[in-house]
Amino acid sequence: MIVLLDVQNVHKSYPTEEGDLAVLRGVSLALDEGQSLALTGESGSGKSTLLHLSAGLDRPTSGQVVLDGRDLTSLDDRGRASLRRGSVGLVFQQFNLIPSLTVAQNLAFHARLADRHDKDWTGLLADRLGLSGHLARYPEHLSGGQQQRVAIGRTLAARPRLVLADEPTGNLDEDSGDAVLDLMLDLVAEAGAALLMVTHSRRLAARLDGQLTLEHGRIA
Amino acid sequence: MIRAALSALLSHWWRHKVQLAALMIGLALATGLWTGVQAINQEARSSYDAAASVLGQDQLDRLLRADGALIAPQAFVDLRRAGWLVSPVVEDEVRIGGVRLRVLGIDPLTAPPAAAAVDLTGDGDLAAFIGDDRLVFVSPETAGRLPSDPLTVRLSDDLPPGVAIADISTAWSLLEMEGFSHLLVWPEQPYGVPPLEDAAPDLVRIAADGANDVGRLTGSFHLNLTAFGLLSFVVGLFIVHAAVGLAFEQRRPMFRTLRALGLPARHLVGLLGGEMLILAFMGGALGIVVGYFVAAILLPDVAATLRGLYGAEVSGTLRLDPGWILAGFAIALVGTAVASAQSLWRLARLPVLAPAQPRAWSMATSRSLALQAGLGSALLLVAGVLAVFGHGLLSGFAVLATLLLGAALLLPAVLMALLRLGASFARTPLAEWVWADTRQQVPGLSLALMALLLALAASIGVGTMVSSFRLTFTDWLDQRLASELYVTASTEEEAERLRSFLQPLAHAVLPIRSVEARVAGAPAEIYGIVDHATYRDHWPLLQGRDDTWDRIAASDGALINEQLHRRAGLSIGDVVTLPNGWSETVVGVYSDYGNPTGQVIVGLDALADRYPDLARLRHAVRIAPEDAPALADRIRDEFGFTMRVINQDEVKRLSLDVFERTFLVTGALTVLTLGVAAFAILTSLLTLAAMRLPQLAPVWALGLTRRRLAWIELARAVLLALLTWLVAVPLGLLLAWLLLAIVNVEAFGWRLPLFVFPLDWLALALWAMLAAALAAAWPAWRLARIPPARLLQVFAHER
């Protein structure tokens, strides 16, 4: 298997009035192509921070993050943005849809941004996500579950090599959460992408290929 | 990538049409009022330049009689025989069919090429010009106002409005005069011509004056207009700033998403800059259209004002000029750049993981409020320093600008303090919530309230200045126009007969004689008066001595008007230099409102000694006021309508009319600015309405009806307007004082006392509250009818 994401001895701390606050203290992980991995841990254990560093949304204080053979720590803002656009798909807990675009426009948005828009693939995703009847609507008119499905569709429509999901079902009730997760796992597998998912739920984590637990910024 | 990102950014405006409209209207109003004023100024300046260049007066030297009298034709003939290349001109004003016309009579055969005012190169044109004794050339606009009879009118596009060019004999006939006003001197003279002192000892040579006097005199008026245009522009910019700021704040989550999905920060800032450029261009175009209409509506009044106040003819018709159109676009772009610079700067520094929730100004920290108040205080300090140590009109306007901006920046802190004071009187939980919630609204509404403050302060300031001026001016007219009738004869013989006729009928007949001259380097008039109680008892002296009137009666000294006193720095005891080596000691200074030029009053004998040939046609007649109309009728019966008889009341009415028109434009701009501010409140309330729901939903859930919440929203807007008005009153009074004590003195050369008009302020308070209520009505109505599901969504989103 080829390693897609390689995180090596990453430290991350934030300056506070009381001094530096260490959030990650020497975390390492590797994620192969097509593999899915759950990141679990208590609140404040550093899960989301690790996810953000993996996406190139932030830089580690020390250590190395290599994505698709490229060292994110050596890339500037433009280089990291390009990598996110081309290789990474992000699914947030808050959905983060663009409120002024319709469902159809939101679905195609990331793919268009990456110049990889495939109408047929996007249409297929819309069908599979049960959004075909809502394409002309705006996000504010959708339920939370529907909005999260749009967010997942937006990510997968761009055919990313790595999907990073930060508590994608955290805002949904259990049934909706399960349904959305099932769909996401199926589609990620179908697209051949790797998945790194942050979750509080051990039950959901157990459904992925593997899981890592963070405790006080370290792998437990 | 670019297209996808741009479509996402622009989609915001599609979904927030009210915000887009606010931005467009704000930009259009800001650009429009500014461009309108610029268009008016440009039109006026073109007219001044055209008037100054008629007959090449800005290029050719002129010969005049030193005593101001007409030049005899024989003097012209003598000069030509001596070899001088000169050309005669007759110039005076005449009313034809109620239209005031500046008639210029020329001799086309001797006129230098630079004085070729009209094209006479066509077949028969020259013959007709000389031969037709009713032929005049005028501009198309003037032609439209002139009656067809008794003139033969031909059109010339190059002529300024109000000017008629005719052959010299035609001009003589129209003006009922003989002789020449001046002689134009060719730039190149034959070699060996005798010196002017020998060839024509009575004549003096006046060098061509590139800078025209009218332009100089009216400069301050245009600067005033520009200042008001700038004020409107700033108020409009508040709207643009508010709309742009809100659009940026509302799109913060979108910016974060775009960045997270891989759009580089530089691209995002560039795209938003491009978006602002497009919007500025659209708003600017709209603004230029608005500006054109503002200028077209105001121009006739401005033209009338300039004609009445300065005798300057300005075309009442607006022409499209590329200059102010380009300036309009430029100011729209600059305005948008200024209004969006802060937001773009913040965005460029925004970390990709910054909180995505819209903060808007409602979440502004107390630190930024304190910083803003500190900046406001510093500006007020600068205003104070400039007021004490600054000189000149620009410094005066700098004081106004720093004062207004400083006060506006301080407003949120002052309102917070007032609201905290109000909250201390709250006794019920609801009242406590209303006060606290209102305080929370201040940052979000602060830009609109700052715009309202500027508009209200400008209204109070300008209103106080105009009303103070009106009171003073009316009193001054009563003093200055003490004589009951003013009578002007058309010939010396008629004047002689008039004096004999009036001798037994009037209490006194006072001669009015004057000559135009240059004093202290600027145009001025010198008047000669006789010793009479009319002057001693009524003349509005600002500075005088015990023996002022005795000195004037003895032709030993001069009175000067306030304008000359201030401009030339002359006071009692100083020596004023008059033409031809004449000088007099200043023995008094008098107020002379409405007159842009300097004025000197000397004893009649002193004037008559220097100018023995002065026309003695004008007279002031003293009689019991109730007998004045009957005497006026008797004069007209006796002498016919060639004798001009003006009643004191008529002069006052005309003077007040000029006065009212002078401030009509500034008044109109003040009202427009107030309208812009009300619009700013409306747009702020509308755009903030959606962001208010998380604050209102819990109160609704606790048992307040939507209707009641709507009423509270309405009352809150009215309360904030009222509090803003409270701050605007002292600011407006300070503004009035600055206008009267600094700007007017520098601009017009006179200083007026300050009067206060509390009833006007109360009326303004009602207008401000009404404007706020109207602005809040729609958002409140929407709140009263908002579906409960929308309010419940607040809780769903917070889960």
Side-chain angles (χ1 to χ4, degrees), chain A residues 95-112 122 135 137-139 142 150-151 153-155 157, chain B residues 8 257 261:
Chain A
F95 325 134
N96 285 6
L97 299 176
I98 294 176
S100 47
L101 297 183
T102 61
V103 168
Q105 289 168 324
N106 265 292
L107 279 173
F109 188 70
H110 190 176
R112 287 179 62 210
T122 309
L135 292 176
R137 298 172 75 180
Y138 285 92
L142 302 180
V150 177
R154 178 179 70 185
T155 298
Chain B
T257 304
L261 295 181

Side-chain angles (χ1 to χ4, degrees), chain A residues 14 52 56-58 77-78 80-82 84-86 88 90 92 94 96-101 105 109-110 112-115 138 140-141 147 154 171 173, chain B residues 1-5 7-16 250 253-254 256-267 352-353 356-357 793 797 799:
Chain A
Y14 294 101
H52 292 155
L57 290 168
D58 205 353
D77 176 74
R78 207 169 169 163
R80 282 181 284 136
S82 167
R84 279 201 302 276
R85 207 162 56 237
V88 181
L90 285 157
F92 302 94
Q94 299 289 346
N96 285 6
L97 299 176
I98 294 176
S100 47
L101 297 183
Q105 289 168 324
F109 188 70
H110 190 176
R112 287 179 62 210
L113 211 56
D115 287 330
Y138 285 92
E140 70 195 56
H141 300 126
Q147 289 193 44
R154 178 179 70 185
N171 261 343
D173 60 62
Chain B
M1 177 176 70
I2 300 290
R3 192 192 288 183
S7 68
L9 291 173
L10 292 178
S11 67
H12 169 84
W13 299 109
W14 181 248
R15 293 280 290 157
H16 295 86
Q250 286 180 339
M254 185 201 287
R256 178 182 143 150
T257 304
L258 286 172
R259 296 273 285 112
L261 295 181
L263 185 71
R266 212 179 292 174
H267 280 62
V352 68
L353 290 174
Q357 288 306 310
Q793 267 179 357
H797 286 159
R799 206 172 50 215

Side-chain angles (χ1 to χ4, degrees), chain B residues 628-699:
Chain B
L631 181 61
D633 290 343
R634 284 192 66 180
I635 296 170
R636 289 192 191 100
D637 290 345
E638 180 71 22
F639 295 92
F641 285 92
T642 55
M643 183 74 72
R644 200 155 16 140
V645 185
I646 301 173
N647 203 314
Q648 179 204 68
D649 289 340
E650 200 178 334
V651 180
K652 281 182 186 168
R653 194 175 46 74
L654 284 172
S655 302
L656 284 171
D657 188 44
V658 168
F659 168 84
E660 296 294 348
R661 276 181 174 276
T662 303
F663 292 102
L664 202 67
V665 178
T666 44
L669 284 175
T670 310
V671 172
L672 283 174
T673 309
L674 200 60
V676 172
F679 183 75
I681 297 178
L682 170 70
T683 54
S684 291
L685 287 173
L686 280 176
T687 44
L688 283 173
M691 297 165 76
R692 291 273 295 135
L693 288 185
Q695 290 141 34
L696 296 176
V699 189

Side-chain angles (χ1 to χ4, degrees), chain B residues 395-454:
Chain B
S395 164
F397 279 119
V399 175
L400 291 185
T402 44
L403 171 75
L404 289 174
L405 202 57
L409 288 174
L410 260 177
L411 179 70
V414 174
L415 287 178
M416 287 289 203
L418 289 173
L419 290 170
R420 230 173 259 127
L421 184 72
S424 65
F425 296 102
R427 293 288 170 263
T428 65
L430 180 64
E432 283 170 10
W433 172 77
V434 169
W435 284 106
D437 191 55
T438 306
R439 220 163 50 231
Q440 205 183 13
Q441 291 308 297
V442 169
L445 284 171
S446 65
L447 280 168
L449 293 173
M450 282 152 79
L452 180 67
L453 175 77
L454 291 186

